[in-house]
Amino acid sequence: MSKSTSGSSTLWARCQLLPLQHFPAESLQDLLRPLGLAGGHKLHDAFNLVTLPVLVYMIFAYVFNIVSFESFVLVAYSYFATDMAWVLIDPGCVKSPGVIAGHHTLTMLSMLFPIFHPVIRKHMVMCLAVELNTWFLILRRVWHVPLVSVCFYVSWISIRLCVYPYLIYELGLIYVQRSVRVGWINHFVLLPVIQSVFTLLNVKWTVDLVKRKRELWRDPGLAQAENKGL
């Protein structure tokens, strides 16, 4: 290896180390440790606790015509793409990385529909209101108080078990209305199908939640396991 090549490699290595010299890797962990957020999956929780309120605000801001759909989509795609990249790079930050990555992929694909078909924009945004429940879920792991638990269960039941099944009906009507005009074989058939998949996932997660609660009631010592990521 020539001296110039060796010198360039050394310079590049030093440049890579410069940020770490001024901001050690442990510093962020030290800052988050008093909040109970130090560690791989807890650092991911901290990321979601900060970013999900922004997404939730954009959801309700669009519903009430405060922000444009384009602004909402930009924030939503930024969140889901970043979170999915995090999960793919560090699968240990969540309990079920495959499920999370699959969910985010399906969500981003389904968001393509309302970009080209404004008639279903409000429906898609209503689906993403489930991220409010996700935020309470994460907050509950960090700050397990009765008020947070109540908000978690109320948002779970109202959004996952009420809004989602209702949207199957709404999107089914939109498919039928379009089919009357253009024929029954059209891509709008995917709307109630995808919504049904999401709803079935919510039902599965509800069953898992109930089973988990039964285990905790029988053995309170298992409560510490709930500190793990999703």
Side-chain angles (χ1 to χ4, degrees), residues 163-179:
V163 172
Y164 266 59
Y166 173 73
L167 287 176
I168 297 175
Y169 166 76
E170 285 285 333
L171 294 172
L173 283 182
I174 292 175
Y175 163 67
V176 170
Q177 292 168 359
R178 182 176 178 83
S179 297

Side-chain angles (χ1 to χ4, degrees), residues 4 6 17 33 35 38 46 58 61-62 75 79 84-85 89 93 100 103 123 145 149 161 165 222:
S4 60
S6 177
L17 288 173
R33 191 168 288 110
L35 301 176
M58 293 298 289
Y62 173 71
V75 172
Y79 166 74
M84 185 169 72
I89 293 171
C93 70
I100 300 298
H103 172 271
H123 300 80
V145 296
S149 292
L161 301 182
L222 294 175

Side-chain angles (χ1 to χ4, degrees), residues 69 72-73 109-122 124-125 191:
F69 182 74
F72 161 76
V73 168
L109 288 175
S110 65
M111 285 171 59
L112 294 174
F113 267 92
I115 291 176
F116 300 103
H117 302 286
V119 68
I120 62 170
R121 287 181 176 178
K122 289 287 176 71
M124 186 272 290
V125 174
L191 297 176

